[in-house]
Amino acid sequence: NSNINKMDSSPCRVLNFLNSKNGSDDAGLTLQNFTVSIQTHETVAEYTITHTYKNCSKDSVEATLEFPKDDNTVFTGFVAKFNDTIIESKIQEKQKAQEKFDDAIAAGKQAVMGATSSQKNTLDVNIGNVPPDVTIEINVDFTYKLPVSTTPNQFTLGVPEIFKSAEKQVDSSEVSTSMTATIISAAPIDKIESSSGEDLNISLSEDKLHASVKSPDKFDLWSQITWTRQKSDKPSLTIEKHPTADRYTAMANFTPNFDEIEEDFSQGEFIILLDRSGSMSGQPMTLANEAVVLFLKSLPENCKFNIVSFGSGFETMFPESVDNTDENVKTTSAKVLKFSADLGGTELEQPLASVFNQTIFSSHPRYVFVLTDGAISNPTQTLRLVQNNSFTNRVSALGIGTSVDKSLIEGLAKNGEGSFEFIPSIDKMNEKVINCLSKSFRPAIGDFFMSFLDADKNPVNVDRPLTSCSSSFIYEGHSCSMFGIIGNRETFDKIASVQLSYKLINSDKDQTFEERHEISKCEIIQGKGVQSLAVHFA
C-alpha cells in the first residue's frame, strides 16, 4: 500500500503507482471494484480478492502493486485480466521471469510478474503496459490461518494484512465493494455475526454445517465475521485432496475439554514485570515491592521465575528464568525490597515484546504478571501486542496505588486471558496477590503427534506425519490445529485410521490422551489451503 497514493487534486479517485511509464501526474489507475470471496473449513480460510482498476490517464502505465502479508498468510496464485486477455501466474526462476517480463514490455505487450519480498514481507505485482482507458483486474489467491479465538467453539475471520493493499481506497463511495463467504463447520453453527453490526445475508444448510454469507452492497473492509458452533469436544479430521496434483493432506482441529481432570497444574514459568517509573514513587513502589516478594514466596514448586523492571527502558533480573529454589527466592526478594522508582517514564510495550520473544521452556507454560499504576503512553499498541501473543503467554495484571489506569489493567487481563486485581493499599494485599496467582493454574497440553495406521493398526509411512501444530502447547479453552502431509493416492489408500495424541504438560502426572478417527468417516475435501498451510508452518 505504501506504493499507492491518493491524488487529492484529481476529481476522480486516482491511484499513482511507482514506475509509471511517462512519469506525469495524470498517469494513474482508478480503483473501481474491490471484492472478496472466502471459503473456510474450520481454521483454514481460502481467499480470492479482486482489485479492478481503470487507466484514466492518456498514456500506458507501468505499475508496482504491493500486497502485504503476515505469518498466517500463504499466497497461492494470482491472475491478471486486461479486457479479454488473461495472464495466469506460473512459478519460474526469478531472473528468468524478470527477463520474460522485460522482453514483453519492450515489445509493447501487456505483462504481469509477481514476486514475494522477504525483506518487506509482501507480494509485489509488477504490471506492464496498461493502455489508456483499459480496465485491468487483479485476482490474488491466498490461504489464511484463522486467528485463535479466546472463546471455545468460536471462529473469527480476521483482517489479513493483505487487505491493506486497498485500505485507503475502498473508503470511497465511488468504489464498489462486496464480500461472499462459505463456511464449512464440523459441528452445527449456532450464530453468525459481524463486528461492525452490518446486516449480513446468511443462508444455513438444514444440518447447519454449511453457511453462505453475503455482505451488504457496501461493506466495511475491517469488519470481522464471527460464528459460534455447538460444543464439540472431539477432534475433527479433514483430508484434503489437491485439485490438480496427486497429493493428500490431513488437518485435525480440536478444543480440549478438561472438565473431568482434577489435578494441580502449577508447573510453569512465572515472569513479573514491575513498574519502576517515576509515577510509582512513594507508597505505590513500596506496595509493589512487597507484592512481588509475597508473589515469589507463594510460587509453587517445580516452576521457574524471573523479574523484569521497566520504566523508560527495562532491566531483567536474570538472563533467563531460574528455578524456584529457596536460595533464588531469598536472594531475589532482598534485591526487590531495595527497588526504587528510578527508571524514568513508563514504557510497557518493549519489555513485554522482549518477554514474548524469549524461547518458552518445555513443559513450562508461561504466565506473565504486570504490576503497574498504568500510566503508559501507548495503551492501544500494548494491548494489541498482548492479544497477539496470548496463545503462548497468559498475562495478568495488578493495579498498584490509588491513581491506577483501570482500563489498562482490565485490558491487559482481558487481552492476555488472565486475571486482574487492584491493590490501593496494604489491606487485603496478600489475599489479592494469592488470588491472582492461583487463577493462573490452569491445564495446558502439548507433545502433539499425528500417526497414520492401516487396518491392522500398524503405522503407515507417509511423507510427513506432523508438519506443524498451532503451538508447542495450548491452554484450556484454546483451539488447536495439526497438519500432516500424507502423500499420493497409493499411500492414502493404505490408511484406515488417523490417531491424534497429546499430553498434559504442566502436571507432575504423565497423562496421555489419544483420539482415533476412521478414514471412512472423515470428510474429504478438494482444495489447496490445507496443504499450503501445512508446508508453510513446517
Side-chain angles (χ1 to χ4, degrees):
N1 191 47
S2 58
N3 288 348
I4 307 173
N5 302 295
K6 179 183 176 183
M7 290 182 62
D8 295 328
S9 59
S10 172
C12 63
R13 192 156 182 95
V14 176
L15 309 179
N16 265 354
F17 290 77
L18 292 182
N19 305 323
S20 58
K21 189 171 184 178
N22 61 9
S24 63
D25 288 339
D26 66 346
L29 300 175
T30 303
L31 178 64
Q32 296 184 321
N33 295 288
F34 181 85
T35 63
V36 182
S37 176
I38 314 165
Q39 177 165 306
T40 75
H41 194 96
E42 295 295 275
T43 58
V44 174
E46 295 185 70
Y47 281 72
T48 295
I49 63 171
T50 302
H51 299 70
T52 303
Y53 299 104
K54 185 175 182 179
N55 184 1
C56 292
S57 70
K58 301 174 182 178
D59 299 282
S60 295
V61 173
E62 294 178 22
T64 299
L65 185 60
E66 289 187 356
F67 294 97
K69 66 184 291 290
D70 52 40
D71 290 339
N72 291 321
T73 302
V74 183
F75 290 109
T76 55
F78 69 88
V79 176
K81 298 179 181 179
F82 294 83
N83 285 346
D84 296 328
T85 302
I86 298 176
I87 302 176
E88 296 189 42
S89 62
K90 293 182 179 180
I91 298 176
Q92 292 183 339
E93 192 272 326
K94 189 172 183 179
Q95 184 175 351
K96 183 178 180 181
Q98 183 69 57
E99 291 173 355
K100 285 191 173 183
F101 178 82
D102 293 341
D103 290 345
I105 298 302
K109 299 178 180 179
Q110 285 80 50
V112 176
M113 184 182 75
T116 56
S117 170
S118 57
Q119 190 174 28
K120 294 182 295 182
N121 206 24
T122 58
L123 171 66
D124 298 339
V125 177
N126 298 319
I127 308 167
N129 284 340
V130 182
D133 204 36
V134 164
T135 297
I136 177 174
E137 181 180 292
I138 300 291
N139 294 301
V140 180
D141 297 328
F142 65 95
T143 302
Y144 181 64
K145 176 73 171 59
L146 299 187
V148 176
S149 173
T150 58
T151 303
N153 299 299
Q154 187 178 88
F155 301 83
T156 299
L157 278 173
V159 181
E161 282 289 311
I162 194 172
F163 276 17
K164 290 183 178 179
S165 63
E167 179 179 3
K168 295 180 181 179
Q169 288 75 49
V170 297
D171 293 335
S172 171
S173 59
E174 301 168 10
V175 179
S176 173
T177 61
S178 65
M179 184 280 301
T180 57
T182 300
I183 299 171
I184 304 173
S185 175
I189 299 170
D190 284 334
K191 181 172 63 174
I192 301 175
E193 56 189 349
S194 166
S195 62
S196 61
E198 292 175 316
D199 292 327
L200 300 173
N201 185 350
I202 301 172
S203 176
L204 268 175
S205 62
E206 188 174 345
D207 58 10
K208 296 186 177 182
L209 296 178
H210 295 74
S212 296
V213 181
K214 187 176 181 179
S215 71
D217 291 337
K218 183 72 178 178
F219 83 103
D220 181 1
L221 183 64
W222 306 111
S223 176
Q224 296 183 329
I225 297 176
T226 298
W227 64 98
T228 305
R229 71 181 189 187
Q230 294 178 15
K231 186 175 181 180
S232 177
D233 297 331
K234 297 293 184 182
S236 65
L237 182 70
T238 301
I239 305 295
E240 180 190 75
K241 182 183 183 301
H242 195 283
T244 57
D246 183 17
R247 184 169 295 276
Y248 291 77
T249 310
M251 174 182 68
N253 291 281
F254 66 108
T255 304
N257 178 17
F258 299 111
D259 293 342
E260 299 178 359
I261 301 175
E262 296 181 1
E263 291 189 34
D264 178 18
F265 299 101
S266 55
Q267 184 171 297
E269 179 190 17
F270 296 83
I271 299 180
I272 303 170
L273 273 76
L274 176 61
D275 186 349
R276 290 173 54 189
S277 63
S279 63
M280 291 283 289
S281 296
Q283 181 70 4
M285 194 73 252
T286 301
L287 275 176
N289 290 346
E290 293 179 358
V292 171
V293 171
L294 174 61
F295 190 97
L296 293 174
K297 293 180 178 179
S298 304
L299 288 175
E301 297 179 0
N302 302 320
C303 75
K304 297 178 181 291
F305 73 88
N306 205 347
I307 296 176
V308 179
S309 301
F310 68 93
S312 298
F314 62 94
E315 302 173 356
T316 304
M317 180 75 74
F318 305 102
E320 64 178 24
S321 295
V322 297
D323 292 331
N324 177 28
T325 64
D326 291 341
E327 182 62 29
N328 284 337
V329 171
K330 181 179 178 181
T331 303
T332 304
S333 297
K335 292 180 180 179
V336 168
L337 290 174
K338 297 179 181 179
F339 281 163
S340 59
D342 57 358
L343 295 185
T346 313
E347 298 298 333
L348 179 56
E349 184 179 9
Q350 289 305 312
L352 277 172
S354 176
V355 169
F356 295 156
N357 287 332
Q358 294 174 15
T359 301
I360 296 177
F361 290 95
S362 176
S363 301
H364 284 75
R366 179 175 292 157
Y367 305 95
V368 179
F369 295 83
V370 180
L371 282 75
T372 180
D373 62 2
I376 67 173
S377 60
N378 57 342
T380 301
Q381 296 94 316
T382 301
L383 293 180
R384 185 181 299 118
L385 174 70
V386 170
Q387 183 182 48
N388 291 341
N389 289 275
S390 62
F391 197 56
T392 52
N393 296 267
R394 184 153 283 177
V395 178
S396 298
L398 290 92
I400 306 296
T402 56
S403 301
V404 178
D405 183 345
K406 292 186 176 181
S407 63
L408 175 70
I409 300 301
E410 294 174 1
L412 288 169
K414 178 181 178 181
N415 288 278
E417 298 188 50
S419 59
F420 67 89
E421 293 283 355
F422 295 103
I423 306 177
S425 65
I426 197 71
D427 296 336
K428 295 186 178 180
M429 183 183 75
N430 291 18
E431 177 185 339
K432 291 183 176 183
V433 170
I434 299 301
N435 184 48
C436 193
L437 179 61
S438 63
K439 286 180 180 178
S440 67
F441 300 154
R442 302 176 185 174
I445 62 171
D447 288 345
F448 303 99
F449 194 73
M450 182 185 294
S451 55
F452 299 82
L453 309 175
D454 63 18
D456 297 323
K457 299 182 181 180
N458 296 316
V460 175
N461 291 324
V462 299
D463 282 6
R464 304 183 74 170
L466 180 62
T467 64
S468 61
C469 191
S470 304
S471 174
S472 56
F473 64 83
I474 60 172
Y475 293 110
E476 179 182 19
H478 277 158
S479 296
C480 172
S481 298
M482 302 164 64
F483 300 94
I485 298 177
I486 295 172
N488 59 22
R489 178 60 186 265
E490 183 180 356
T491 302
F492 174 71
D493 287 340
K494 297 176 183 177
I495 300 171
S497 62
V498 179
Q499 183 168 290
L500 312 174
S501 64
Y502 51 93
K503 295 180 180 179
L504 285 171
I505 64 170
N506 56 339
S507 169
D508 290 335
K509 296 182 180 179
D510 185 11
Q511 190 168 357
T512 300
F513 300 86
E514 293 182 347
E515 298 280 351
R516 183 175 292 130
H517 290 259
E518 295 180 22
I519 284 290
S520 60
K521 297 180 180 178
C522 292
E523 183 176 11
I524 299 179
I525 62 172
Q526 191 171 89
K528 297 182 287 186
V530 174
Q531 178 183 310
S532 60
L533 287 178
V535 173
H536 176 67
F537 288 120

